[in-house]
Amino acid sequence: MFDLFKAKAEAVSAEVHRFATKSEGLAFIKETFRTEGIADEPKKYAVWTDCPILEGVDKDEMAKEFPGLKFNVTRDLAEQSHIGVTQMQWGLANTGTVAQNSTAAAERLASSLSWIHVAIVGTANILPDMPALLETVHPKDCAYLALITGPSRTADIERVLTIGVHGPERLIIVCIDDLGGAN
Amino acid sequence: MASTEFKESVDKALKNANLTGALGRFSEAYAVARKNAYAGIDFEQLRGRVAAIKGYAAEHMDELAEQFTKAATARGAKVFRANSPQQVKEYIANLCREKGVKRIVKSKSMATEEIHLNDHLIKQGIQVNETDLGEWIIQLAGQTPSHMVMPAIHMTRDEVADLFSKEIDERLSNDIPKLVKVARKELRTKFLQADMGITGGNMAIAETGTIALVTNEGNARLTTTLPKIHVAVVGLEKLVPNWADAAPILVALPKSATSQQLTSYVSLITGPTPNDDGSMKEMHIILMDNKRSEMAADPIFKQALQCIRCASCLNVCPVYRLVGGHVFGKVYTGGIGTILTAWFDELKRSEEIQSLCIQCGNCKQVCPGQIDIPALILEIRRRLTQEQGQGVVQKTIFSVVNNRKIFHGMLRAASKVQGLVAKDGFIRHLPMFLSELSEFRSLPAIADKPFRDVFDTIQQPVLQKKIAFYGGCLIDFAYPEMGVKLVKILNKAGYNVTFPKDQTCCGAPARYNGAYEVAADNATDNIKALLSEEVDYVVSACPTCTCALKHEFIEVYESVGRRDMLPKARRLATKTVDFSTLVKQLVDEGKLSFKEGQSLGTITYHDSCHLKRTLHAENEPRELLTQAGYQIEEMFECDMCCGMGGSYSLKFPEISKPILTRKLGNIKASGAQTVAMDCPGCVMQIKGGFDKDGARVNVKHTVELLADQLK
Ligand code: SF4
Ligand code: SF4
C-alpha cells in the first residue's frame, strides 16, 4: 500500500518520506526546519498544530531550539509562516492523498496558509481508495474533512501548470510506521 | 437561419487564431491525458454508477432537498431554498446588510455566474473578488467564462500580464509563474480582509447535509476558513442521496475535468466549523432551483441533471474547439451549455447556439453523467420548431422530401440541369449533393442514372435467401457504383438482393431540422417499402440511414405519439444492419471468404460518427479490410468528425471547412495513399476536400475496397 501511495503522491509533486519510528520522523522534521531556515521573524515562522505525535515531546525545548517555531497557531502566525506542520489521519493509496479532520481552525490555517505543508501520517493509516475512506470517516465525527493531493496548482494561464497559487507550494509527507493508532 | 450578429460572432471566433490554436492544442492534449487518467478503470461501469446516482437524485429532488435541509440545519447551517435568481441575490444582499459585510471573496461557482450575482452585489457597494485565478482574470477583464472548468482559457499570457499590470499599477512581464505569484499576493490580502466567503458546491449530500468543494488552487479552503461567514450557492441538481455516493463522483470528476486522479483539494463540509478566534462560523446554504425542478419533471430533459460539470464534453467537441465558449452566450458553454441555456435562461435563447452542434456524438461518448447531449439538442430543435413553426421555405422543402415521387423526380431533373437547379435558393436545403455552394470542397455531380435504374440492369444469380438493400439518397443518386458492389458481395454470400423501389429519404434531414412530422412520414413510407417482402436482413451502406432505420424511426414515432407504428418500426429495427457488420458476420459464418495472400498496401481508416458511436461498429470494417489484405495505418483522431453533418456544411461552411481541413491533414500525415470509410456522406466530404486540396489520396467506401477481394 505504501509503495503505491508514494508513487501516486510523487506523481503529483508531493515529497514522501518514510520512517520506522516517531523519533526518526521528528528528527527529519527538525532537519527540515534547519534547512529551511526557520527563524523568529515574519515569513520564517513554522507553525505546528497540536497533534498526537507531539505527545510526550518537550515542546518548550523544541521551541528553544527553533525560536521561530510556534505551537499556538493563529491566523497571523500561520499567514507569516514558512512551514506548517499538521498530522493527518488517513492516506489514500491510489491517489497519493492525505486526509484530515480539519474541523479545528488551526488545522486549516497551518495547512493552507504556509508555504510548505508538512503532513504527518501513520503508514498503517493508508487506505486503498476513496470509497474506503468514506467508509472509515463519517461527517458526524468530522465537520470539515480535507483531502489534500499534492501542492496547490493552477493551469489557468495558457494551460501552463504552475505550483503554489493560493495554498502551499510544497507538500512534504512524513509517513511514520510506529505512529500506530494515533488517529 | 442564424442571425447576422450570431454569424459574425462565429466568424470572429474562427478568425481568432490564438483562441482556436489554444483550444485545438488543448483538446489534443486532453484526449491523451484523459485516456491515461482512466487507465485501468472501467469507465462504462463508473459512469453507470454516476448516472444512476444523479438520475435517482433528479427524480427525488424535492425529497432530497428536504432531507438535506434537515441534516444541514441539525448541524447548525442555515438552509434557504430559492426558486428564482432574484431570491438568491436578495438573500445574500440582505445578509450582507444585516452583518455589515463590505468585502466578499468567492471561490468559483457556476451557479452564481448563472444568476449574475457579482453585478448585483457590486451595485450594493460591496467589494466582490473572485479568487480562482481564471475567474479573477476574467473578472478583471470584465468578461464571462469561456469554459466551465478553465474560464480564461481564451486569454494569452500577454493579456493577463496587461490586466495584472493595470490592477497593481506596475509593469509586469508575461512570465506565467511570476503572474501567478502576483495573483497569490494580491488575493491573499483580500482573503484576510474578507467578511464573507461565497462558494458553490460540487455536491450536496442529502443524508449528511454535506457540501463538497473540489478545487486545485486551494482558494475554496481559504474562502471557507478565513471569513466568518460562509455562503454556499448550490444548484438543486448537485444533490446526491448518500455519503457513499460522493466516492464515484469524486473518482470521475477530476479525471474527466482535468485528467487528474484527484484535484489537489477536496473539502467535505458538514455544518459550520470554528473560526480562528474560537467563535463559530455562520454558514448559509442556498439551494437554488431556477427551473431545475421543472427540468426534473420533463421526461426527456431530466437527463441533463446528471451533469457533474466536468466540461469534458467541451474538450472533445470539434465545434467548441474551433469557436470557443463566448459564441455560446454568457454562462454555460458547448453542447451541455446549449441545453442548460435553453432551460435556465429560455428556450428561445438557445435558438442559434443549438444549430452549432454537428451531432457527431463525441460528447455523449465521454460524458461521465451518461447524458445523450446530441439527442437533447435535437429535442431543443424539435421544440423550437414546434413553438415557432417551420419557415415557409422549409415547409416547401420538406413537403418535397416527403413525397417520394416529386423528390426523386426533382433529383433526376437535377442531374440533367444541375447548374440551373443549384442556383435556386431552396434547393440547398435538400440533401446537400444538390448544392454547389462550397468553395472548399467539390461536390459530386448527380449520377446520370440513379442506382434504382442501374439496379434493374444487374444480373443476379437465382438465390433463395434475400436481403433488402436500403440505398439512401447518396448512394442512390450520387454513388450508384457503391450499390452495385454491395450487390456483388451479397450475391457471393448466397443472398439475392432486393431494392424496394418505394424507399425514400430516411428522414434524417427533416429530423435534424426539428421537423419530426415529416420524419415520421418518411419513416412510414420506408417501413412499408422495406417490410413489403420477407427478407433476412435490411442492409444499408450509410450509417446515418442505418441509424434512422434502426433507432430513429422508433424515437420519431414515440416523439410524435404514433404508437401504432411502433411494432413495425421495431421489426424493421431488428432486421436492419450496417454493411460492415453484416459482411463481418457473413465472413464469420463462412459464407464469404477473401482471396488468400493478398498484399494490397497501406490504407488508413476514418470512423464515421454514426457508425462508431451509435452503431458501435469500429472493429468490423477494420477487421474486414485487414482480412482482405490491406494494412491499416491508423491516423490521428481517426474518429473525429469530418465536418459533413448533412446540411450542416451548408449552414456553417465556415465551421465545416476547418474541421475538414484538420481531417485531411491527419489523413495525409498517416502516409497512406488510400483512406477507407463506411459512410457515403464522409466520402463526399473528404473526396471533395482532397479534390480542392490537390493531394492524391484515394477516398473509398469500404464496400468498394472489399468487392474485388472476395473469393
Ligand atoms: S454534460 Fe457530461 S461531459 Fe458535459 S459537463 Fe456535464 S457531465 Fe461533463
Ligand atoms: S454532438 Fe458533437 S458537435 Fe454536438 S455538442 Fe456533442 S461533440 Fe459537439
Side-chain angles (χ1 to χ4, degrees):
Chain A
M1 204 84 88
F2 171 79
D3 292 340
L4 179 61
F5 172 81
K6 180 176 158 79
K8 292 293 180 177
E10 285 175 351
V12 289
S13 328
E15 300 156 43
V16 182
H17 303 270
R18 180 178 184 175
F19 302 97
T21 64
K22 242 166 80 167
S23 54
E24 283 172 49
L26 287 170
F28 170 79
I29 295 171
K30 285 194 205 168
E31 186 51 36
T32 307
F33 288 164
R34 250 186 297 276
T35 45
E36 290 297 323
I38 292 309
D40 198 7
E41 54 187 277
K43 293 285 162 210
K44 294 210 162 159
Y45 303 142
V47 290
W48 194 327
T49 58
D50 209 7
C51 57
I53 197 177
L54 288 174
E55 268 163 41
V57 171
D58 189 341
K59 290 193 260 183
D60 295 338
E61 194 57 36
M62 225 203 288
K64 239 180 259 162
E65 199 180 340
F66 302 98
L69 173 59
K70 322 279 176 184
F71 292 100
N72 61 324
V73 184
T74 65
R75 161 200 292 249
D76 293 338
L77 286 173
E79 214 283 307
Q80 295 297 324
S81 67
H82 183 62
I83 296 183
V85 187
T86 70
Q87 186 166 336
M88 314 300 278
Q89 280 88 22
W90 307 277
L92 300 187
N94 80 337
T95 50
T97 303
V98 284
Q100 184 191 46
N101 178 349
S102 5
T103 306
E107 303 290 353
R108 278 172 278 139
L109 295 172
S111 60
S112 61
L113 287 170
S114 314
W115 194 239
I116 300 174
H117 176 205
V118 174
I120 304 164
V121 65
T123 318
N125 297 327
I126 297 175
L127 305 166
D129 53 18
M130 183 73 71
L133 175 73
L134 297 189
E135 268 170 37
T136 308
V137 52
H138 193 274
K140 69 178 184 305
D141 321 303
C142 177
Y144 199 124
L145 175 61
L147 316 187
I148 299 176
T149 312
S152 158
R153 61 182 60 220
T154 184
D156 274 347
I157 306 176
E158 288 193 8
R159 305 295 307 134
V160 174
L161 179 68
T162 313
I163 299 293
V165 51
H166 294 299
E169 189 191 39
R170 282 172 69 193
L171 172 65
I172 303 176
I173 303 174
V174 179
C175 290
I176 298 176
D177 295 350
D178 80 347
L179 213 50
N183 71 353
Chain B
M1 258 288 112
S3 71
T4 347
E5 200 187 320
F6 179 62
K7 277 278 193 184
E8 271 166 15
S9 78
V10 170
D11 270 347
K12 209 173 118 206
L14 287 166
K15 287 203 188 92
N16 183 343
N18 163 51
L19 173 80
T20 49
L23 289 174
R25 279 190 302 280
F26 168 62
S27 77
E28 283 176 13
Y30 173 80
V32 179
R34 178 184 177 278
K35 209 168 155 206
N36 290 338
Y38 274 111
I41 286 189
D42 185 340
F43 178 63
E44 291 307 320
Q45 196 198 343
L46 177 64
R47 71 169 174 169
R49 290 196 57 203
V50 172
I53 291 167
K54 301 282 292 183
Y56 175 91
E59 276 176 3
H60 299 81
M61 199 178 256
D62 257 321
E63 194 182 312
L64 292 179
E66 238 168 75
Q67 194 190 357
F68 178 89
T69 306
K70 250 187 224 148
T73 310
R75 291 299 294 252
K78 296 203 175 71
V79 183
F80 174 65
R81 189 152 162 198
N83 289 321
S84 68
Q86 198 51 34
Q87 281 178 320
V88 181
K89 289 188 268 195
E90 274 164 19
Y91 183 92
I92 298 177
N94 286 342
L95 188 63
C96 290
R97 222 167 296 133
E98 202 181 296
K99 307 282 170 189
V101 171
K102 294 273 172 299
R103 299 187 185 89
I104 296 177
V105 282
K106 285 182 72 205
S107 164
K108 185 170 179 294
S109 137
M110 291 306 286
T112 59
E113 289 280 357
E114 183 183 320
I115 60 171
H116 312 293
L117 176 68
N118 293 4
D119 281 353
H120 185 80
L121 295 174
I122 290 166
K123 272 192 205 122
Q124 324 270 321
I126 300 164
Q127 202 192 89
V128 184
N129 279 293
E130 293 290 345
T131 62
D132 171 86
L133 182 57
E135 286 284 333
W136 193 52
I137 292 169
I138 60 164
Q139 187 185 26
L140 293 178
Q143 297 182 6
T144 52
S146 72
H147 186 282
M148 290 193 286
V149 171
M150 297 163 295
I153 190 173
H154 59 287
M155 304 203 40
T156 62
R157 63 184 84 194
D158 293 320
E159 288 168 321
V160 176
D162 286 347
L163 283 171
F164 285 10
S165 302
K166 241 203 257 154
E167 178 68 14
I168 66 165
D169 215 3
E170 182 191 321
R171 190 58 230 167
L172 299 167
S173 78
N174 67 2
D175 180 271
I176 292 176
K178 279 195 193 132
L179 291 171
V180 171
K181 284 221 171 71
V182 168
R184 178 185 174 103
K185 189 159 162 277
E186 286 299 302
L187 290 170
R188 186 56 75 84
T189 322
K190 308 218 188 301
F191 276 121
L192 291 164
Q193 293 170 343
D195 313 302
M196 176 189 277
I198 299 181
T199 69
N202 295 80
M203 275 180 273
I205 305 170
E207 181 193 10
T208 53
T210 306
I211 295 287
L213 296 171
V214 178
T215 74
N216 266 318
E217 297 180 1
N219 57 322
R221 276 160 63 79
L222 295 177
T223 306
T224 54
T225 295
L226 296 172
K228 290 191 174 166
I229 307 171
H230 171 203
V231 179
V233 183
V234 188
L236 279 178
E237 82 283 11
K238 297 296 176 66
L239 285 162
V240 297
N242 299 310
W243 176 244
D245 294 334
I249 294 172
L250 288 175
V251 171
L253 180 58
K255 290 186 179 65
S256 285
T258 47
S259 310
Q260 287 172 281
Q261 292 301 324
L262 198 57
T263 48
S264 299
Y265 304 104
V266 176
S267 306
L268 293 150
I269 307 173
T270 314
T273 44
N275 289 311
D276 51 292
D277 65 359
S279 64
M280 277 308 263
K281 200 174 288 299
E282 208 177 295
M283 186 185 192
H284 297 256
I285 302 168
I286 304 177
L287 293 178
M288 181 170 92
D289 193 328
N290 193 23
K291 310 212 181 113
R292 284 158 173 83
S293 50
E294 228 173 279
M295 195 177 211
D298 186 292
I300 297 176
F301 280 100
K302 68 172 183 218
Q303 203 191 127
L305 295 165
Q306 285 162 213
C307 175
I308 59 172
R309 306 281 190 270
C310 69
S312 59
C313 52
L314 312 185
N315 303 342
V316 301
C317 176
V319 178
Y320 174 86
R321 80 173 173 190
L322 283 170
V323 303
H326 284 148
V327 166
F328 286 88
K330 295 275 171 259
V331 183
Y332 299 104
T333 61
I336 187 67
T338 304
I339 296 161
L340 299 179
T341 303
W343 277 83
F344 300 162
D345 214 324
E346 55 175 330
L347 188 58
K348 184 96 179 65
R349 289 252 314 158
S350 67
E351 192 176 356
E352 294 181 323
I353 54 175
Q354 60 79 22
S355 65
L356 286 170
C357 174
I358 197 169
Q359 293 286 314
C360 72
N362 273 359
C363 52
K364 177 184 173 185
Q365 183 171 274
V366 298
C367 174
Q370 236 171 23
I371 304 172
D372 192 345
I373 298 166
L376 294 184
I377 291 178
L378 277 192
E379 179 63 14
I380 289 177
R381 219 168 269 182
R382 190 184 73 82
R383 290 189 189 182
L384 279 166
T385 314
Q386 223 175 22
E387 211 170 70
Q388 306 171 351
Q390 204 106 50
V392 182
V393 177
Q394 278 203 319
K395 248 190 213 142
T396 322
I397 298 152
F398 287 124
S399 65
V400 169
V401 182
N402 219 2
N403 185 321
R404 189 190 65 75
K405 288 220 178 80
I406 298 182
F407 173 46
H408 286 166
M410 281 186 63
L411 288 171
R412 282 170 194 277
S415 82
K416 306 280 180 307
V417 283
Q418 283 182 33
L420 203 91
V421 172
K423 271 187 210 122
D424 190 332
F426 77 73
I427 210 82
R428 282 195 216 147
H429 295 267
L430 284 172
M432 59 175 301
F433 52 87
L434 278 171
S435 167
E436 61 173 16
L437 172 92
S438 186
E439 25 80 65
F440 63 93
R441 173 198 53 192
S442 314
L443 295 177
I446 294 178
D448 289 339
K449 233 182 179 190
F451 179 76
R452 52 186 60 242
D453 295 354
V454 176
F455 179 77
D456 297 332
T457 67
I458 302 176
Q459 301 282 329
Q460 293 195 63
V462 185
L463 300 159
Q464 287 311 307
K465 291 187 287 185
K466 276 187 189 152
I467 293 180
F469 174 41
Y470 179 81
C473 305
L474 271 176
I475 291 186
D476 201 352
F477 289 91
Y479 298 121
E481 65 278 11
M482 292 178 189
V484 175
K485 301 266 183 190
L486 179 133
V487 173
K488 182 175 166 188
I489 295 172
L490 295 182
N491 284 166
K492 275 209 171 129
Y495 289 89
N496 196 276
V497 178
T498 67
F499 187 80
K501 288 284 170 62
D502 284 343
Q503 59 178 276
T504 186
C505 173
C506 70
R511 199 174 107 87
Y512 288 150
N513 282 288
Y516 276 47
E517 296 290 343
V518 178
D521 288 344
N522 286 152
T524 306
D525 289 346
N526 284 316
I527 288 175
K528 229 186 262 163
L530 294 167
L531 294 181
S532 63
E533 204 178 338
E534 200 47 51
V535 291
D536 292 282
Y537 303 100
V538 174
V539 68
S540 168
C542 170
T544 309
C545 299
T546 314
C547 285
L549 269 54
K550 224 175 158 49
H551 305 291
E552 287 158 17
F553 288 0
I554 296 172
E555 281 170 28
V556 163
Y557 284 137
E558 273 175 349
S559 144
V560 301
R562 300 234 7 221
R563 303 198 61 84
D564 57 313
M565 286 303 293
L566 285 177
K568 280 196 176 145
R570 291 210 181 94
R571 198 149 77 85
L572 176 63
T574 53
K575 281 190 189 290
T576 302
V577 58
D578 70 271
F579 166 76
S580 279
T581 303
L582 176 66
V583 174
K584 176 72 176 50
Q585 190 188 320
L586 297 174
V587 169
D588 290 347
E589 288 168 1
K591 289 179 178 150
L592 281 175
S593 52
F594 291 100
K595 293 179 192 159
E596 267 141 50
Q598 297 275 90
S599 178
L600 302 167
T602 309
I603 58 167
T604 190
Y605 186 80
H606 161 70
D607 291 274
S608 305
C609 298
H610 281 118
L611 189 73
K612 171 161 182 184
R613 287 181 282 272
T614 314
L615 300 168
H616 306 295
E618 56 176 315
N619 295 327
E620 286 83 352
R622 285 181 168 81
E623 279 168 27
L624 289 173
L625 290 163
T626 310
Q627 283 177 18
Y630 294 97
Q631 198 194 327
I632 298 184
E633 183 65 45
E634 294 289 350
M635 70 171 105
F636 181 59
E637 293 186 346
C638 59
D639 61 351
M640 193 56 93
C641 180
C642 66
M644 158 75 186
S647 54
Y648 188 91
S649 46
L650 296 181
K651 262 192 252 158
F652 288 110
E654 65 276 47
I655 293 174
S656 173
K657 178 183 171 174
I659 295 180
L660 173 61
T661 306
R662 198 180 175 99
K663 176 58 65 180
L664 299 183
N666 287 334
I667 294 171
K668 282 188 272 185
S670 79
Q673 289 305 298
T674 301
V675 55
M677 60 206 69
D678 272 52
C679 172
C682 300
V683 169
M684 179 169 94
Q685 171 92 341
I686 293 172
K687 209 178 209 165
F690 275 128
D691 187 55
K692 278 274 150 77
D693 174 279
R696 264 195 290 278
V697 176
N698 295 311
V699 182
K700 296 282 184 201
H701 193 294
T702 303
V703 71
E704 299 175 275
L705 293 173
L706 296 183
D708 300 328
Q709 310 309 329
L710 291 160
K711 259 197 233 160

